[in-house]
Amino acid sequence: MTRNFALAAGLFALGASTALANDTTAVLKTGGLEFTRSADISMEKEVLFISMQQIRVDYVFRNSSDKAIDTLVAFPMPDIDGGPMSDVSSGDQNQDNFLDFTVTQDGVAIEPQLQQRAWANALDVTEEIKAAGISLLPNSEATQKAVDTLPKETLDKWVADGLVRIDSWDQGNGEETHYIPIWTLKSAYYWRARYEPGVDINVSHTYKPSVGGTVQPAFLNENQQPKGQYYEEYKAKYCVDDGFVRAAQKTLKAMMAGKPYHYESWISYVLTTGANWAGPIKDFTLIVDKGSKDNYVSFCGTNVKKIGPTTFEMKATDFWPEKDLDVLILNYNDPAANPG
């Protein structure tokens, strides 16, 4: 199967946001660790692995001073907006650790603390929600059930304050009214770390990425031709080239004929958090796994090499992460092999 990866003159060009088509799931941007800014701790090495199943980041940090440094380290979880019409892929929203985040330092697992805050209409409503005995997870099944049992006066206030909205539907028992949580959950895992002088510290973390997508190539029109502004955005954001466009045209034609086709998936990663450290990332490696030999992948990078049946690698020295990374994958789908 023909493979595709895009090369660009600059590292990781980032374009405007992509317009979404029907049957679309949006993507949340996630990234790496964020730290208290330090002039004495350098990032000696970073290996970033990205696939649709997992993001894994391995770091090597070094304290270049002559004194030990205690610092706060955090992993910001993406914001979760409440509401049943949410079209964002954001893991298991019934649990606090909805991306299954894990972290180790020098091979030892770290149990980070979790900070959660709820916001509505630019106001912090965390304590009000907690006082009512409600979970801060806006889209969990337990939260929805609990909100529906609140006193009427509380619900009226929450509607007026923008914490919930009224909705109704019929599930076979007649029209029922429900109060839908619409606050935004902001959360982060955090811990304190101690870096001894002149000692390399190995930190690794993993999580499930937010993978967005759409059922057909969004940058092509019904005639399988590049679609104006959308196509320009894809070129800037994912560095799609002529070969990738031809693959998308072929798969759209196949889909319309009821044959096996490819659908889009998107992964976005915030690279710029690495700029919190002294100097550039001395040794940077990016590995992108497209998942299947029958898939296509496109992202912006320099000197990208194919290192395996499904994996592509980019290396850089003295790397300044000035732009974020967006990955576009065309996933092979055979309706006959996956009925229903």
Side-chain angles (χ1 to χ4, degrees), residues 30-35 72-80 95-99 101-103 110-119 126 136-137 184-192 273:
T30 52
L33 303 181
E34 293 189 1
F35 315 84
L72 187 66
V73 186
F75 176 73
M77 300 281 274
D79 292 352
I80 298 296
Q95 63 176 9
D96 292 329
N97 191 5
F98 51 86
L99 296 182
F101 172 74
T102 68
V103 60
I110 294 174
E111 294 294 334
Q113 298 182 66
L114 175 63
Q115 181 191 78
Q116 293 178 311
R117 307 302 295 179
W119 291 79
T126 306
L136 296 180
L137 296 168
T184 296
L185 174 66
K186 296 178 179 288
S187 53
Y189 283 98
Y190 67 97
W191 61 98
R192 291 195 173 275
T273 51

Side-chain angles (χ1 to χ4, degrees), residues 66-103:
D66 59 359
K67 297 180 180 179
I69 296 176
D70 293 299
T71 186
L72 187 66
V73 186
F75 176 73
M77 300 281 274
D79 292 352
I80 298 296
D81 294 326
M85 301 305 292
S86 175
D87 61 354
V88 175
S89 167
S90 51
D92 182 359
Q93 294 191 44
N94 289 301
Q95 63 176 9
D96 292 329
N97 191 5
F98 51 86
L99 296 182
D100 288 338
F101 172 74
T102 68
V103 60

Side-chain angles (χ1 to χ4, degrees), residues 128 132 147 150-161 164:
E128 184 173 358
V147 166
L150 289 173
K152 182 67 164 56
E153 60 180 350
T154 300
L155 289 172
D156 288 345
K157 181 180 184 302
W158 283 18
V159 169
D161 292 348
V164 300

